[in-house]
Amino acid sequence: MDNLTFTNSLLLVEGLKITTQSSYPVFILLLLVYVFIMVSNIGLVFLISTEKNLHHPMHFLFCNLPINDILGTTVVLPRLMQDMLKETSERYITYVECVIQAYFVHIFAVACHYVLMIMAFDRYVAICNPLRYTAIMTNKMVIKLSASAWGLSIFMVSILLGLTLRLSRCRSNIENPFCDNASLFKLSCESVVINNVFGIIYTVIVFTFSLGSVVITYGKIATVCITSKNKSLNSKAIKTCSTHIAVFLIMFVSCGSFIFLHRFPEYSDSRKLASIMFHIVPPGLNPLVYGLQTKEIRQKFVKLWFRKKVNP
């Protein structure tokens, strides 16, 4: 069958493998999770953007995280929930829509690493060079760091998807709950060695830089805390860094699990579950772990909540 036939064809998405009886309870559960993720992350962005006391480099850089979480959740969950209410044989998506979904799925995954890297740099400057912090972390630097995180994510994912779009297709089944790059290039009967090699190399590079930057920056922060006798500095560093490390570990394990399992077809069910969890767990926990553990944000949230209770 020629390539033109598949250019305008529909793809059948596997979706979630659940029984008819459990589809509605799972749908309601995912809907509640989605609403919580959207409300909490949008609320954090709104709070930081409207409260002048939160207009600091650390909080502006942090805004990248909930924005990315909103993107990553929205690009997957609404479509996934919609497919749950359809018969397995009716879960169609156009090739263009599938590519767009895969593009933003990977933007979300890659941006997670870059955003946490620039946040680690901010904490390193704040704790290890506190006297130079205001000189280094200017508004211009915050914009540069944020732009570099998103720009690099867009550039590298464009190459990743570009290598897949060059392939012809001989299949029409997406063997995944949603579209991603691996699911797309598996539609081809051509050699996908280049795709696999680029994907593995890039994943290793991102993971190495991501993990390396966190280890190095927090290693230096730990050294400063050990050698310093300033209890206030140590307490601030421990609270800030423990929160950041918790967020990083949640993201790293979730992301690594489904990327690793993609290479082992015998664990496809575990990989599919891990891929969904990656779009639910970090976006749901980040506002709680990072947002409410940050003293300034927590205080503002409590004040707003108390004000709402007093003046309903």
Side-chain angles (χ1 to χ4, degrees):
M1 198 174 294
D2 60 46
N3 297 341
L4 184 61
T5 304
F6 283 99
T7 300
N8 298 312
S9 66
L10 295 175
L11 303 177
L12 184 64
V13 183
E14 185 178 88
L16 277 177
K17 289 184 176 180
I18 54 176
T19 62
T20 305
Q21 293 79 6
S22 59
S23 60
Y24 285 101
V26 175
F27 176 87
I28 293 172
L29 177 62
L30 289 179
L31 178 61
L32 292 174
V33 170
Y34 179 65
V35 170
F36 171 77
I37 290 172
M38 295 301 290
V39 170
S40 58
N41 282 288
I42 292 174
L44 276 174
V45 174
F46 178 78
L47 185 64
I48 293 172
S49 61
T50 56
E51 291 292 334
K52 292 184 178 180
N53 292 337
L54 297 177
H55 290 179
H56 303 297
M58 178 183 74
H59 299 120
F60 282 136
L61 287 175
F62 169 66
C63 273
N64 289 288
L65 200 58
I67 289 172
N68 191 44
D69 288 341
I70 292 168
L71 169 68
T73 308
T74 301
V75 77
V76 169
L77 280 191
R79 178 85 199 192
L80 185 67
M81 290 187 291
Q82 178 185 337
D83 287 342
M84 286 174 57
L85 302 179
K86 299 179 180 178
E87 294 294 332
T88 305
S89 59
E90 298 177 356
R91 295 172 180 174
Y92 289 108
I93 186 173
T94 66
Y95 181 69
V96 173
E97 289 175 330
C98 192
V99 170
I100 292 172
Q101 185 182 48
Y103 185 80
F104 286 105
V105 161
H106 286 277
I107 289 290
F108 165 69
V110 175
C112 281
H113 291 271
Y114 292 142
V115 168
L116 289 175
M117 285 169 66
I118 63 177
M119 288 171 64
F121 172 73
D122 172 75
R123 291 301 82 205
Y124 165 74
V125 176
I127 296 170
C128 297
N129 295 285
L131 298 179
R132 297 185 58 204
Y133 181 77
T134 53
I136 296 174
M137 297 305 298
T138 60
N139 291 336
K140 186 177 291 187
M141 176 59 75
V142 170
I143 293 172
K144 285 182 179 179
L145 289 173
S146 299
S148 63
W150 288 102
L152 193 56
S153 299
I154 292 171
F155 177 71
M156 297 309 299
V157 172
S158 297
I159 296 176
L160 189 73
L161 266 296
L163 291 173
T164 297
L165 293 177
R166 69 187 172 86
L167 300 171
S168 61
R169 287 172 286 129
C170 61
R171 304 182 185 93
S172 59
N173 289 342
I174 298 293
E175 298 177 351
N176 205 46
F178 52 85
C179 297
D180 63 356
N181 182 58
S183 299
L184 281 171
F185 68 64
K186 286 178 182 178
L187 298 176
S188 177
C189 292
E190 296 181 36
S191 172
V192 293
V193 173
I194 294 177
N195 300 72
N196 272 314
V197 170
F198 181 83
I200 292 172
I201 291 176
Y202 181 57
T203 300
V204 170
I205 290 174
V206 171
F207 273 51
T208 301
F209 272 96
S210 177
L211 184 61
S213 67
V214 170
V215 170
I216 292 172
T217 52
Y218 288 107
K220 290 184 176 181
I221 289 172
T223 302
V224 170
C225 292
I226 292 172
T227 56
S228 173
K229 295 181 180 180
N230 188 330
K231 292 183 179 181
S232 176
L233 173 65
N234 293 348
S235 176
K236 179 181 178 182
I238 291 172
K239 288 180 181 179
T240 304
C241 297
S242 61
T243 301
H244 192 129
I245 291 173
V247 171
F248 177 80
L249 289 176
I250 292 168
M251 179 276 300
F252 194 87
V253 172
S254 302
C255 184
S257 297
F258 84 85
I259 291 177
F260 179 76
L261 291 172
H262 239 309
R263 313 299 170 185
F264 300 93
E266 63 270 25
Y267 298 113
S268 62
D269 289 338
S270 299
R271 182 255 303 169
K272 293 167 187 173
L273 179 61
S275 66
I276 295 173
M277 288 298 101
F278 176 60
H279 290 267
I280 293 176
V281 177
L285 289 181
N286 286 346
L288 298 176
V289 175
Y290 198 100
L292 294 183
Q293 286 298 315
T294 302
K295 182 179 178 182
E296 296 86 353
I297 294 178
R298 184 174 66 251
Q299 288 176 341
K300 287 296 179 182
F301 179 81
V302 171
K303 287 181 180 178
L304 288 174
W305 179 261
F306 181 75
R307 189 183 306 164
K308 183 179 178 181
K309 289 291 184 180
V310 174
N311 301 304

